[in-house]
Amino acid sequence: MKFKITKDWIKSFFVMIIAVIVMGMCVSLLVMCDMGADPCSAMNYGISHKLGMSFGNYQLLSNIVLLIIVIIFDKKLIGTGTLGNMILVGYSADFFTWIWKEVCHIQAQLNLGIRIVILIPALILFILAAAIYMQSGHGTAPYDAVSFLISEKIEKHSGKNMFRIVRIVYDLAATGIGVIAGGEVGVITILMVILLGPTVDLVGRIMKTRRGVEKQGV
């Protein structure tokens, strides 16, 4: 995990931190809407409830296991963003859930209209925040790193960028586990499966283009 601290590094680091906290906040909102969460969170909510653990604690534990796998196969995918996601998303989700329930006193059963009003911006924010953090250059969470690892291995052999397809299949597998474990699976989970991979790919292309323009301007 080598890096040189520069102004650009500090700027992108804080962008990454904000992105993962926003992801955690959005997860808490999506779960509150009771229409599903992202595939990883849906799976981990289900398993954590089965084990009687908090979401944040189980999220951290499962990411540690996946982190070991990623370190074995491709260390370059690991960075400060890996630790940021491992620690902040789960605990941010727990924190904001507490805020909504204990501070804002939002009732458990919301009517459909309110759920949709909350759900749409939360979904858009989550997808954009996830794409920004993954393309920040600070590494990715072990769950996300596995999808990059698989797609890179396929690209080496086929010469084709298969990230979108790999990510969709990967998230579908997590969704299946979430269904079996009784996690927060719903229509939003399916939308995430369809939209997250392409959005990450698109944001990555935009950020690479922007970095190229900035280098030319130096």
Side-chain angles (χ1 to χ4, degrees):
M1 194 162 58
K2 296 179 180 180
F3 53 86
K4 182 179 179 181
I5 297 179
T6 63
K7 287 184 178 180
D8 287 339
W9 186 93
I10 293 172
K11 180 181 176 181
S12 61
F13 175 78
F14 279 107
V15 168
M16 177 274 294
I17 292 294
I18 292 169
V20 293
I21 292 174
V22 169
M23 286 171 64
M25 179 189 72
C26 291
V27 167
S28 70
L29 290 171
L30 292 171
V31 171
M32 184 172 64
C33 290
D34 196 26
M35 296 179 74
D38 66 283
C40 179
S41 298
M43 174 178 66
N44 287 343
Y45 264 109
I47 297 174
S48 65
H49 288 164
K50 291 283 185 184
L51 297 177
M53 298 174 65
S54 74
F55 173 67
N57 286 340
Y58 179 76
Q59 182 99 327
L60 179 60
L61 179 63
S62 64
N63 273 319
I64 289 172
V65 174
L66 290 175
L67 177 63
I68 294 170
I69 296 172
V70 176
I71 288 174
I72 292 171
F73 288 99
D74 198 344
K75 293 180 182 178
K76 78 175 187 296
L77 292 171
I78 304 301
T80 52
T82 306
L83 298 177
N85 186 288
M86 285 175 63
I87 298 168
L88 291 176
V89 173
Y91 289 121
S92 292
D94 284 347
F95 171 73
F96 281 106
T97 297
W98 176 80
I99 290 291
W100 311 141
K101 290 182 178 179
E102 304 300 328
V103 179
C104 298
H105 302 291
I106 296 176
Q107 58 186 0
Q109 299 296 326
L110 300 173
N111 65 54
L112 182 59
I114 294 176
R115 286 158 65 191
I116 291 174
V117 168
I118 295 173
L119 182 149
I120 293 174
L123 174 62
I124 294 170
L125 266 178
F126 180 91
I127 292 174
L128 288 175
I132 289 169
Y133 116 79
M134 278 189 248
Q135 299 292 352
S136 68
H138 287 273
T140 60
Y143 174 85
D144 299 312
V146 171
S147 64
F148 281 108
L149 181 62
I150 294 170
S151 64
E152 284 180 2
K153 297 297 182 185
I154 293 174
E155 187 172 353
K156 280 184 180 179
H157 289 88
S158 66
K160 297 179 180 179
N161 183 349
M162 301 291 287
F163 177 75
R164 293 186 183 192
I165 296 173
V166 168
R167 183 72 197 209
I168 289 172
V169 173
Y170 183 64
D171 283 339
L172 277 173
T175 300
I177 296 172
V179 171
I180 294 170
E184 302 290 337
V185 177
V187 63
I188 297 306
T189 314
I190 303 304
L191 287 175
M192 291 262 193
V193 170
I194 297 169
L195 297 174
L196 191 54
T199 303
V200 171
D201 193 40
L202 176 61
V203 170
R205 293 173 190 272
I206 293 171
M207 293 180 76
K208 284 178 183 177
T209 301
R210 181 179 175 184
R211 286 168 188 158
V213 171
E214 289 176 348
K215 285 181 180 179
Q216 290 176 1
V218 173

